[in-house]
Amino acid sequence: MAVAMKNNNSRYRSLILSIAVFLALIGVLLAFTFYTSSVLERNTALVNVSNKTANNAQAVIKDLFDLQSSVGEHINSPHQKRVRERLAANANDIDQLLSGMDSGADYVEGHAQNIPKINTETGLAQLKEVQNDWNRLKPRIEAYLEGADDIRVDSSDELSLAYEQAKTSSLRMNDALNSLTKEVYEDTKQQANTIRLIQILGVAAILAYFIIFVFFFVRRLRESDAEALEARRETQEIMQTVNTGLFLLDKDLNIGQQHSKALSNILGTERLAGENFTNVLRGRLSEKDLSTTRQFIEQLYNPRVKEKLVDDLNPLHKVMLHNNSPEQVSDNRYLDFKFSRVYEGKDIARILVNVNDVSDAVRLEQRLEQERAQSDMQIEMLATILNVEPKIINDFIVNTKLHIDRMNNILKNPGSNQFELESKLNSIYREMHSLKGEASALKLHSFTKIASDAEDQLHGMQNQGKLSGNDFLPLAVHLDELLNLSNTIETLGERINQSSPAAAASRQSGVATRSANATEQFASNRSASSALHSSAVSANEEDASLTKYYQEFAQQIADRQQKQVQLETKGLKSSIIPDSLSQVVKEISIQLLRNAIVHGIETPAEREAAGKSATGHIQLTVENIDQSLVMTLNDDGQGIDYETIRARLVALERYSQEQANDLNQDQLLSELFSSGFTTRQSADEDGGRGVGLDIIKERVQEHQGHLNVSSDQGKMTRFVITLPLQ
């Protein structure tokens, strides 16, 4: 670019110099013409002055002759007076004209006239003769005129003397003036010829220079046009050949007239030259991205902003361009735009844009990322399988499929009114939350992530007001993902334990009985699972495994909530918990533990401020009492704050302030267990959605059990759940 600019400047410099020379020649010719014109004007003026002087001399002789002829006429007669006045005027004119030709002067006779000075020797000599003769005649005329108008003075003698002198002097004056006029005329004629010759030669030289100038520069222009045509042809060949989209942008984001052929294919439109860049992308990018792009390019035109610094802010780096055609939605492309400054000298003239279709590379990256995520998920699952008792893993798989079957069955029920749709929503929410709790306890983050996404969707449906059957359709995707993950972990478990025929038989038995009702299938799988592991582990080992399972789960939640807890368990063994209640015990225990840590136990700072130890204590106990299974969970946390529940109900607009004030503790506790109610302001993986206590209530009711809650604010909370063994 700099070389091209240098060549263009060199070419224009020679053109400007040539034009300057051409104008200089014309200027010189015009100056010479003006000068010679002034000389001719001067000589013409001298000729006129000389002729006028001669005419005045003749007029003087004529007037003297007239006066001499009219001697005896009264001196005051009109004729005498008119002739004398004319004689005086002509004498004065002659005097002024001769003086002007000698030294140069202004002569006034009705109008101003500049008398050129004679500067040639011959002319001066002839002027001298005229002046000598006039100096002889002038005194005699003055002597006559001095007393000619006085009747008392006789001026006849002076008139005679003047007349006689005029006859002699006027002839010599006329001869000298004629010679002077002839000399000036010849000089003028010679100068005119010289001027004509010089003008002809000057015009010829100017025409010759103009012809040479035109010929030279036409040839140069032809050469430049040929070079430009060749450069354009090469540029077009490059633009036709390159596989990337190349074009220039001005400050107004208008695309230049030249762009690569590949650009039309990449952007999917032929109309590009001169079009506004944002208009080309409008409808294929969001308005926010278009606005960001406009601001980004404005920064590129800012010379105070370094190009490398703003390159990282490029909003069109591997961006997806949507296809404008609705029938070709799958043809959406990923494009990568790179912006570079184009300088003219030190000024930013244009922005060069290089755009590449990176769809294949991006899709390959996405596929690799998916495969990497799949590998990470399998590693996560393998770690869980290897670190958790097989019975717990098998129970999780069976329970997951049981939850999915339940949610599928709920989804099959269309719901005829808003109440049924809301009940359907709450039922799915409980199943999903329970599944998430078990997955979180096993550190299966892939399960937890999918379940959390589903909960976000369910939470949005709870807040949207009116529901329809179509609102539940997207949930099928989450269920399918969960089922695939469950099958994956089941397959991995089978591969690890493929040497155990009993394990395979147990899983096949569980799959074969899935077509039965959900409760029978769950009991069958649990029995098969118990049969599988009864020979491998003792009751004490099973008790230790479950204790470890719950303690690790409690520690995970505490770490996420930045709290410290110590969990003590008792009775977590098969001799106390029958198979028919093992699943519900686990489900309720998970929700109780999460609720105790999230809502009950305070942070270390809060506990120490209240005079407690930094570590919160939780006891989970399972007992058989009077043909019932009694679960008890105690925590030494902050207890239930009924006023917080009351304020939250008002904030959620479930009650007015007056209605909330009328609620007693039992009613407030009932609201605490209602679906979707929580005292937390925001939700996370561990709580804040108002589902955990709802699940506990629902499961207790399903098994015809009893739920009792007692709390001492600031000191403790106790949940006692009684489930009949029959």
Side-chain angles (χ1 to χ4, degrees), residues 124-181:
L124 288 173
Q126 293 169 345
L127 177 62
K128 190 67 175 175
E129 291 180 8
V130 174
Q131 286 177 333
N132 291 334
D133 288 318
W134 172 247
N135 289 333
R136 294 187 191 98
L137 177 60
K138 177 181 176 183
R140 296 185 183 280
I141 294 174
E142 290 176 346
Y144 165 70
L145 292 175
E146 182 178 358
D149 57 350
D150 191 352
I151 194 171
R152 295 171 299 175
V153 178
D154 184 9
S155 301
S156 57
D157 293 338
E158 284 80 2
L159 176 62
S160 298
L161 291 173
Y163 176 69
E164 292 298 327
Q165 184 63 45
K167 289 192 291 184
T168 305
S169 297
S170 62
L171 291 175
R172 288 200 297 268
M173 286 175 65
N174 285 335
D175 291 339
L177 288 171
N178 287 333
S179 299
L180 177 61
T181 301

Short mmCIF file of all heavy atoms in Angstrom, two decimals, residues 124-181:
data_model
loop_
_atom_site.label_atom_id
_atom_site.label_comp_id
_atom_site.label_asym_id
_atom_site.label_seq_id
_atom_site.Cartn_x
_atom_site.Cartn_y
_atom_site.Cartn_z
N LEU A 124 15.59 62.60 -29.48
CA LEU A 124 15.89 63.73 -28.61
C LEU A 124 16.49 64.88 -29.43
O LEU A 124 16.21 66.07 -29.16
CB LEU A 124 16.87 63.30 -27.50
CG LEU A 124 16.28 62.39 -26.41
CD1 LEU A 124 17.38 61.90 -25.47
CD2 LEU A 124 15.21 63.14 -25.62
N ALA A 125 17.32 64.54 -30.43
CA ALA A 125 17.92 65.59 -31.28
C ALA A 125 16.84 66.31 -32.07
O ALA A 125 16.84 67.56 -32.18
CB ALA A 125 18.95 64.97 -32.20
N GLN A 126 15.93 65.57 -32.64
CA GLN A 126 14.85 66.18 -33.40
C GLN A 126 13.94 66.99 -32.48
O GLN A 126 13.46 68.06 -32.85
CB GLN A 126 14.04 65.09 -34.12
CG GLN A 126 14.86 64.42 -35.22
CD GLN A 126 14.18 63.18 -35.77
OE1 GLN A 126 13.25 62.69 -35.14
NE2 GLN A 126 14.68 62.68 -36.90
N LEU A 127 13.70 66.49 -31.27
CA LEU A 127 12.89 67.24 -30.31
C LEU A 127 13.60 68.54 -29.94
O LEU A 127 12.96 69.59 -29.76
CB LEU A 127 12.64 66.39 -29.06
CG LEU A 127 11.85 67.06 -27.93
CD1 LEU A 127 10.43 67.43 -28.42
CD2 LEU A 127 11.76 66.13 -26.72
N LYS A 128 14.93 68.46 -29.85
CA LYS A 128 15.71 69.66 -29.51
C LYS A 128 15.55 70.73 -30.58
O LYS A 128 15.40 71.94 -30.29
CB LYS A 128 17.19 69.27 -29.34
CG LYS A 128 18.05 70.37 -28.75
CD LYS A 128 17.65 70.65 -27.32
CE LYS A 128 18.62 71.67 -26.69
NZ LYS A 128 18.18 72.06 -25.34
N GLU A 129 15.54 70.32 -31.86
CA GLU A 129 15.35 71.27 -32.97
C GLU A 129 13.98 71.94 -32.87
O GLU A 129 13.84 73.16 -33.06
CB GLU A 129 15.50 70.56 -34.31
CG GLU A 129 16.92 70.09 -34.58
CD GLU A 129 17.00 69.38 -35.95
OE1 GLU A 129 16.00 69.43 -36.70
OE2 GLU A 129 18.04 68.80 -36.24
N VAL A 130 12.99 71.06 -32.56
CA VAL A 130 11.63 71.63 -32.46
C VAL A 130 11.57 72.63 -31.31
O VAL A 130 10.98 73.73 -31.45
CB VAL A 130 10.60 70.50 -32.25
CG1 VAL A 130 9.22 71.09 -32.00
CG2 VAL A 130 10.57 69.58 -33.44
N GLN A 131 12.18 72.29 -30.19
CA GLN A 131 12.15 73.19 -29.04
C GLN A 131 12.89 74.51 -29.34
O GLN A 131 12.46 75.59 -28.91
CB GLN A 131 12.77 72.49 -27.82
CG GLN A 131 11.89 71.42 -27.22
CD GLN A 131 12.55 70.70 -26.05
OE1 GLN A 131 13.80 70.63 -26.03
NE2 GLN A 131 11.74 70.17 -25.14
N ASN A 132 14.01 74.45 -30.08
CA ASN A 132 14.76 75.66 -30.41
C ASN A 132 13.92 76.59 -31.28
O ASN A 132 13.87 77.82 -31.06
CB ASN A 132 16.07 75.31 -31.12
CG ASN A 132 17.05 74.63 -30.16
OD1 ASN A 132 16.99 74.85 -28.93
ND2 ASN A 132 17.97 73.85 -30.70
N ASP A 133 13.28 76.02 -32.29
CA ASP A 133 12.43 76.84 -33.15
C ASP A 133 11.25 77.40 -32.38
O ASP A 133 10.82 78.54 -32.60
CB ASP A 133 11.92 76.04 -34.34
CG ASP A 133 13.04 75.77 -35.36
OD1 ASP A 133 13.82 76.67 -35.62
OD2 ASP A 133 13.11 74.60 -35.85
N TRP A 134 10.70 76.61 -31.51
CA TRP A 134 9.56 77.07 -30.73
C TRP A 134 10.00 78.15 -29.74
O TRP A 134 9.28 79.13 -29.51
CB TRP A 134 8.92 75.90 -29.98
CG TRP A 134 7.86 76.33 -29.02
CD1 TRP A 134 7.87 76.26 -27.69
CD2 TRP A 134 6.63 76.93 -29.35
NE1 TRP A 134 6.71 76.75 -27.13
CE2 TRP A 134 5.91 77.17 -28.18
CE3 TRP A 134 6.02 77.33 -30.58
CZ2 TRP A 134 4.64 77.76 -28.15
CZ3 TRP A 134 4.77 77.91 -30.54
CH2 TRP A 134 4.07 78.10 -29.32
N ASN A 135 11.20 77.99 -29.19
CA ASN A 135 11.69 79.00 -28.26
C ASN A 135 11.92 80.34 -28.98
O ASN A 135 11.89 81.40 -28.35
CB ASN A 135 12.99 78.53 -27.60
CG ASN A 135 12.74 77.41 -26.61
OD1 ASN A 135 11.64 77.30 -26.05
ND2 ASN A 135 13.75 76.58 -26.38
N ARG A 136 12.13 80.33 -30.30
CA ARG A 136 12.26 81.57 -31.06
C ARG A 136 10.89 82.19 -31.33
O ARG A 136 10.73 83.42 -31.32
CB ARG A 136 12.96 81.32 -32.40
CG ARG A 136 14.42 80.88 -32.26
CD ARG A 136 15.09 80.81 -33.64
NE ARG A 136 16.40 80.16 -33.57
CZ ARG A 136 16.64 78.92 -33.86
NH1 ARG A 136 15.63 78.15 -34.26
NH2 ARG A 136 17.86 78.44 -33.75
N LEU A 137 9.91 81.34 -31.54
CA LEU A 137 8.59 81.84 -31.90
C LEU A 137 7.77 82.19 -30.66
O LEU A 137 7.00 83.17 -30.67
CB LEU A 137 7.85 80.78 -32.71
CG LEU A 137 6.41 81.09 -33.12
CD1 LEU A 137 6.35 82.37 -33.98
CD2 LEU A 137 5.80 79.91 -33.87
N LYS A 138 7.93 81.43 -29.64
CA LYS A 138 7.09 81.59 -28.44
C LYS A 138 7.18 82.99 -27.84
O LYS A 138 6.13 83.60 -27.51
CB LYS A 138 7.49 80.53 -27.41
CG LYS A 138 6.73 80.65 -26.10
CD LYS A 138 7.20 79.58 -25.13
CE LYS A 138 6.51 79.76 -23.77
NZ LYS A 138 6.99 78.76 -22.78
N PRO A 139 8.42 83.61 -27.70
CA PRO A 139 8.49 84.95 -27.09
C PRO A 139 7.76 86.00 -27.91
O PRO A 139 7.14 86.92 -27.36
CB PRO A 139 9.99 85.23 -27.01
CG PRO A 139 10.61 83.88 -27.00
CD PRO A 139 9.75 83.04 -27.89
N ARG A 140 7.78 85.87 -29.21
CA ARG A 140 7.15 86.86 -30.08
C ARG A 140 5.63 86.75 -29.96
O ARG A 140 4.92 87.78 -29.97
CB ARG A 140 7.59 86.68 -31.52
CG ARG A 140 9.10 86.94 -31.67
CD ARG A 140 9.52 86.89 -33.13
NE ARG A 140 10.96 87.07 -33.27
CZ ARG A 140 11.59 88.26 -33.24
NH1 ARG A 140 10.90 89.36 -33.08
NH2 ARG A 140 12.91 88.35 -33.38
N ILE A 141 5.15 85.52 -29.84
CA ILE A 141 3.70 85.36 -29.68
C ILE A 141 3.28 85.92 -28.34
O ILE A 141 2.25 86.62 -28.24
CB ILE A 141 3.32 83.89 -29.80
CG1 ILE A 141 3.58 83.39 -31.22
CG2 ILE A 141 1.86 83.65 -29.42
CD1 ILE A 141 3.36 81.90 -31.40
N GLU A 142 4.07 85.65 -27.32
CA GLU A 142 3.75 86.16 -25.99
C GLU A 142 3.80 87.69 -25.98
O GLU A 142 2.96 88.33 -25.31
CB GLU A 142 4.73 85.58 -24.95
CG GLU A 142 4.53 84.09 -24.70
CD GLU A 142 5.57 83.53 -23.76
OE1 GLU A 142 6.58 84.22 -23.51
OE2 GLU A 142 5.39 82.38 -23.29
N ALA A 143 4.79 88.29 -26.73
CA ALA A 143 4.90 89.76 -26.77
C ALA A 143 3.67 90.37 -27.43
O ALA A 143 3.15 91.41 -27.01
CB ALA A 143 6.17 90.17 -27.51
N TYR A 144 3.17 89.70 -28.48
CA TYR A 144 1.98 90.21 -29.16
C TYR A 144 0.76 90.08 -28.26
O TYR A 144 -0.01 91.03 -28.10
CB TYR A 144 1.76 89.44 -30.46
CG TYR A 144 0.37 89.64 -31.01
CD1 TYR A 144 -0.03 90.89 -31.55
CD2 TYR A 144 -0.58 88.62 -30.95
CE1 TYR A 144 -1.33 91.07 -32.01
CE2 TYR A 144 -1.87 88.79 -31.41
CZ TYR A 144 -2.24 90.02 -31.94
OH TYR A 144 -3.54 90.21 -32.39
N LEU A 145 0.61 88.92 -27.67
CA LEU A 145 -0.60 88.68 -26.87
C LEU A 145 -0.63 89.53 -25.61
O LEU A 145 -1.70 89.80 -25.06
CB LEU A 145 -0.69 87.19 -26.48
CG LEU A 145 -0.95 86.23 -27.62
CD1 LEU A 145 -0.89 84.77 -27.12
CD2 LEU A 145 -2.31 86.50 -28.26
N GLU A 146 0.56 89.99 -25.17
CA GLU A 146 0.62 90.76 -23.94
C GLU A 146 -0.17 92.06 -24.05
O GLU A 146 -0.81 92.49 -23.09
CB GLU A 146 2.08 91.03 -23.58
CG GLU A 146 2.22 91.79 -22.27
CD GLU A 146 3.69 91.99 -21.91
OE1 GLU A 146 4.56 91.51 -22.67
OE2 GLU A 146 3.95 92.59 -20.86
N GLY A 147 -0.11 92.77 -25.21
CA GLY A 147 -0.85 94.04 -25.33
C GLY A 147 -1.89 94.00 -26.40
O GLY A 147 -2.42 95.05 -26.78
N ALA A 148 -2.22 92.83 -26.95
CA ALA A 148 -3.16 92.75 -28.07
C ALA A 148 -4.56 93.11 -27.66
O ALA A 148 -5.36 93.59 -28.49
CB ALA A 148 -3.13 91.34 -28.66
N ASP A 149 -4.95 92.90 -26.43
CA ASP A 149 -6.31 93.19 -26.00
C ASP A 149 -6.44 94.57 -25.33
O ASP A 149 -7.48 94.89 -24.75
CB ASP A 149 -6.80 92.11 -25.03
CG ASP A 149 -5.88 91.97 -23.82
OD1 ASP A 149 -4.80 92.54 -23.83
OD2 ASP A 149 -6.28 91.21 -22.86
N ASP A 150 -5.33 95.42 -25.44
CA ASP A 150 -5.34 96.77 -24.86
C ASP A 150 -5.41 97.77 -26.00
O ASP A 150 -4.50 97.86 -26.83
CB ASP A 150 -4.08 96.99 -24.02
CG ASP A 150 -4.17 98.27 -23.18
OD1 ASP A 150 -5.13 99.05 -23.37
OD2 ASP A 150 -3.29 98.42 -22.30
N ILE A 151 -6.51 98.51 -26.04
CA ILE A 151 -6.73 99.44 -27.15
C ILE A 151 -5.72 100.58 -27.15
O ILE A 151 -5.48 101.25 -28.17
CB ILE A 151 -8.18 99.96 -27.10
CG1 ILE A 151 -8.54 100.65 -28.41
CG2 ILE A 151 -8.39 100.88 -25.91
CD1 ILE A 151 -10.02 100.99 -28.52
N ARG A 152 -5.12 100.81 -26.05
CA ARG A 152 -4.16 101.90 -25.93
C ARG A 152 -2.78 101.53 -26.46
O ARG A 152 -1.89 102.35 -26.60
CB ARG A 152 -4.03 102.33 -24.46
CG ARG A 152 -5.34 102.92 -23.89
CD ARG A 152 -5.23 103.12 -22.41
NE ARG A 152 -5.00 101.83 -21.74
CZ ARG A 152 -4.77 101.72 -20.44
NH1 ARG A 152 -4.67 102.81 -19.68
NH2 ARG A 152 -4.59 100.56 -19.91
N VAL A 153 -2.58 100.21 -26.68
CA VAL A 153 -1.26 99.74 -27.11
C VAL A 153 -1.36 99.32 -28.56
O VAL A 153 -2.29 98.59 -28.95
CB VAL A 153 -0.78 98.58 -26.24
CG1 VAL A 153 0.57 98.07 -26.73
CG2 VAL A 153 -0.69 99.01 -24.78
N ASP A 154 -0.34 99.69 -29.32
CA ASP A 154 -0.29 99.29 -30.73
C ASP A 154 0.55 98.03 -30.81
O ASP A 154 1.75 98.05 -30.56
CB ASP A 154 0.30 100.41 -31.57
CG ASP A 154 0.29 100.06 -33.06
OD1 ASP A 154 -0.35 99.00 -33.41
OD2 ASP A 154 0.90 100.77 -33.84
N SER A 155 -0.05 96.90 -31.15
CA SER A 155 0.63 95.59 -31.18
C SER A 155 0.87 95.10 -32.59
O SER A 155 1.18 93.92 -32.82
CB SER A 155 -0.21 94.55 -30.42
OG SER A 155 -0.42 94.93 -29.08
N SER A 156 0.71 95.99 -33.56
CA SER A 156 0.85 95.55 -34.96
C SER A 156 2.28 95.10 -35.24
O SER A 156 2.50 94.13 -36.00
CB SER A 156 0.42 96.66 -35.91
OG SER A 156 1.19 97.86 -35.66
N ASP A 157 3.26 95.79 -34.66
CA ASP A 157 4.65 95.40 -34.93
C ASP A 157 4.94 94.03 -34.34
O ASP A 157 5.61 93.19 -34.98
CB ASP A 157 5.60 96.45 -34.34
CG ASP A 157 5.49 97.81 -35.06
OD1 ASP A 157 5.03 97.79 -36.22
OD2 ASP A 157 5.83 98.79 -34.42
N GLU A 158 4.52 93.82 -33.15
CA GLU A 158 4.76 92.52 -32.52
C GLU A 158 4.08 91.41 -33.30
O GLU A 158 4.61 90.30 -33.44
CB GLU A 158 4.22 92.52 -31.08
CG GLU A 158 5.11 93.27 -30.10
CD GLU A 158 4.89 94.79 -30.19
OE1 GLU A 158 4.03 95.22 -30.97
OE2 GLU A 158 5.60 95.52 -29.47
N LEU A 159 2.90 91.73 -33.88
CA LEU A 159 2.18 90.72 -34.67
C LEU A 159 2.96 90.40 -35.93
O LEU A 159 3.09 89.23 -36.33
CB LEU A 159 0.79 91.23 -35.00
CG LEU A 159 -0.06 90.34 -35.90
CD1 LEU A 159 -0.30 88.96 -35.22
CD2 LEU A 159 -1.42 90.99 -36.22
N SER A 160 3.52 91.43 -36.55
CA SER A 160 4.27 91.21 -37.79
C SER A 160 5.51 90.38 -37.51
O SER A 160 5.85 89.44 -38.26
CB SER A 160 4.68 92.56 -38.41
OG SER A 160 3.53 93.30 -38.76
N LEU A 161 6.20 90.73 -36.40
CA LEU A 161 7.40 89.98 -36.07
C LEU A 161 7.06 88.52 -35.77
O LEU A 161 7.77 87.59 -36.18
CB LEU A 161 8.10 90.61 -34.85
CG LEU A 161 8.74 91.99 -35.10
CD1 LEU A 161 9.24 92.56 -33.79
CD2 LEU A 161 9.88 91.85 -36.11
N ALA A 162 5.98 88.29 -35.06
CA ALA A 162 5.55 86.92 -34.72
C ALA A 162 5.16 86.16 -35.96
O ALA A 162 5.48 84.97 -36.14
CB ALA A 162 4.39 86.95 -33.72
N TYR A 163 4.48 86.87 -36.87
CA TYR A 163 4.04 86.20 -38.09
C TYR A 163 5.24 85.79 -38.93
O TYR A 163 5.29 84.66 -39.45
CB TYR A 163 3.10 87.12 -38.85
CG TYR A 163 2.67 86.56 -40.19
CD1 TYR A 163 1.81 85.46 -40.27
CD2 TYR A 163 3.14 87.14 -41.38
CE1 TYR A 163 1.45 84.96 -41.50
CE2 TYR A 163 2.76 86.64 -42.61
CZ TYR A 163 1.90 85.52 -42.66
OH TYR A 163 1.54 85.03 -43.89
N GLU A 164 6.21 86.69 -39.07
CA GLU A 164 7.39 86.38 -39.87
C GLU A 164 8.18 85.24 -39.24
O GLU A 164 8.67 84.34 -39.95
CB GLU A 164 8.28 87.63 -39.99
CG GLU A 164 7.67 88.75 -40.81
CD GLU A 164 7.41 88.33 -42.26
OE1 GLU A 164 8.21 87.51 -42.80
OE2 GLU A 164 6.40 88.76 -42.83
N GLN A 165 8.34 85.29 -37.94
CA GLN A 165 9.07 84.21 -37.27
C GLN A 165 8.33 82.89 -37.42
O GLN A 165 8.93 81.83 -37.56
CB GLN A 165 9.26 84.54 -35.77
CG GLN A 165 10.08 83.54 -35.00
CD GLN A 165 11.50 83.43 -35.50
OE1 GLN A 165 12.17 84.47 -35.75
NE2 GLN A 165 12.01 82.21 -35.71
N ALA A 166 7.00 82.89 -37.36
CA ALA A 166 6.19 81.67 -37.47
C ALA A 166 6.37 81.03 -38.82
O ALA A 166 6.42 79.79 -38.94
CB ALA A 166 4.72 81.98 -37.21
N LYS A 167 6.50 81.87 -39.89
CA LYS A 167 6.66 81.28 -41.22
C LYS A 167 7.95 80.49 -41.29
O LYS A 167 8.02 79.45 -41.93
CB LYS A 167 6.63 82.37 -42.28
CG LYS A 167 5.26 82.98 -42.47
CD LYS A 167 5.20 83.86 -43.73
CE LYS A 167 6.05 85.11 -43.55
NZ LYS A 167 5.94 86.02 -44.71
N THR A 168 8.98 80.96 -40.60
CA THR A 168 10.26 80.26 -40.64
C THR A 168 10.27 79.09 -39.66
O THR A 168 10.66 77.96 -40.00
CB THR A 168 11.39 81.23 -40.29
OG1 THR A 168 11.34 82.35 -41.16
CG2 THR A 168 12.74 80.55 -40.37
N SER A 169 9.88 79.33 -38.44
CA SER A 169 9.96 78.29 -37.39
C SER A 169 9.00 77.14 -37.62
O SER A 169 9.31 75.97 -37.37
CB SER A 169 9.70 78.91 -36.01
OG SER A 169 10.68 79.88 -35.69
N SER A 170 7.80 77.44 -38.10
CA SER A 170 6.80 76.38 -38.25
C SER A 170 7.22 75.35 -39.28
O SER A 170 6.96 74.14 -39.13
CB SER A 170 5.45 76.98 -38.63
OG SER A 170 5.54 77.67 -39.88
N LEU A 171 7.90 75.83 -40.32
CA LEU A 171 8.34 74.87 -41.34
C LEU A 171 9.37 73.92 -40.76
O LEU A 171 9.33 72.69 -40.97
CB LEU A 171 8.91 75.64 -42.54
CG LEU A 171 7.88 76.44 -43.37
CD1 LEU A 171 8.56 77.26 -44.48
CD2 LEU A 171 6.86 75.49 -43.99
N ARG A 172 10.36 74.51 -40.03
CA ARG A 172 11.39 73.65 -39.45
C ARG A 172 10.80 72.73 -38.37
O ARG A 172 11.18 71.57 -38.23
CB ARG A 172 12.52 74.51 -38.86
CG ARG A 172 13.38 75.17 -39.93
CD ARG A 172 14.73 75.60 -39.35
NE ARG A 172 14.54 76.60 -38.32
CZ ARG A 172 14.56 77.92 -38.57
NH1 ARG A 172 14.76 78.39 -39.78
NH2 ARG A 172 14.40 78.79 -37.57
N MET A 173 9.85 73.26 -37.61
CA MET A 173 9.20 72.43 -36.59
C MET A 173 8.45 71.26 -37.24
O MET A 173 8.52 70.12 -36.76
CB MET A 173 8.23 73.28 -35.74
CG MET A 173 8.93 74.21 -34.75
SD MET A 173 7.73 75.28 -33.89
CE MET A 173 6.81 74.05 -32.99
N ASN A 174 7.75 71.55 -38.30
CA ASN A 174 7.00 70.49 -38.99
C ASN A 174 7.94 69.43 -39.54
O ASN A 174 7.66 68.22 -39.46
CB ASN A 174 6.15 71.07 -40.11
CG ASN A 174 4.90 71.79 -39.59
OD1 ASN A 174 4.43 71.46 -38.50
ND2 ASN A 174 4.39 72.76 -40.33
N ASP A 175 9.07 69.89 -40.10
CA ASP A 175 10.02 68.91 -40.64
C ASP A 175 10.58 68.03 -39.52
O ASP A 175 10.69 66.79 -39.66
CB ASP A 175 11.17 69.65 -41.34
CG ASP A 175 10.70 70.33 -42.64
OD1 ASP A 175 9.62 69.88 -43.16
OD2 ASP A 175 11.37 71.25 -43.09
N ALA A 176 10.96 68.67 -38.42
CA ALA A 176 11.52 67.89 -37.30
C ALA A 176 10.47 66.93 -36.70
O ALA A 176 10.76 65.78 -36.36
CB ALA A 176 12.06 68.83 -36.23
N LEU A 177 9.26 67.47 -36.55
CA LEU A 177 8.20 66.61 -35.99
C LEU A 177 7.86 65.47 -36.91
O LEU A 177 7.59 64.33 -36.48
CB LEU A 177 6.95 67.45 -35.69
CG LEU A 177 7.06 68.40 -34.49
CD1 LEU A 177 5.85 69.32 -34.43
CD2 LEU A 177 7.20 67.62 -33.19
N ASN A 178 7.88 65.75 -38.23
CA ASN A 178 7.62 64.67 -39.19
C ASN A 178 8.70 63.59 -39.10
O ASN A 178 8.43 62.39 -39.17
CB ASN A 178 7.53 65.22 -40.60
CG ASN A 178 6.23 65.99 -40.83
OD1 ASN A 178 5.23 65.71 -40.17
ND2 ASN A 178 6.26 66.96 -41.76
N SER A 179 9.94 64.06 -38.95
CA SER A 179 11.04 63.09 -38.81
C SER A 179 10.89 62.28 -37.52
O SER A 179 11.11 61.05 -37.50
CB SER A 179 12.38 63.84 -38.81
OG SER A 179 12.57 64.53 -40.02
N LEU A 180 10.52 63.00 -36.46
CA LEU A 180 10.32 62.29 -35.18
C LEU A 180 9.18 61.27 -35.29
O LEU A 180 9.30 60.13 -34.82
CB LEU A 180 10.01 63.31 -34.08
CG LEU A 180 9.70 62.74 -32.69
CD1 LEU A 180 10.90 61.96 -32.15
CD2 LEU A 180 9.32 63.86 -31.73
N THR A 181 8.10 61.68 -35.91
CA THR A 181 6.95 60.77 -36.07
C THR A 181 7.33 59.58 -36.91
O THR A 181 6.96 58.42 -36.61
CB THR A 181 5.77 61.52 -36.71
OG1 THR A 181 5.41 62.63 -35.89
CG2 THR A 181 4.58 60.60 -36.89
#
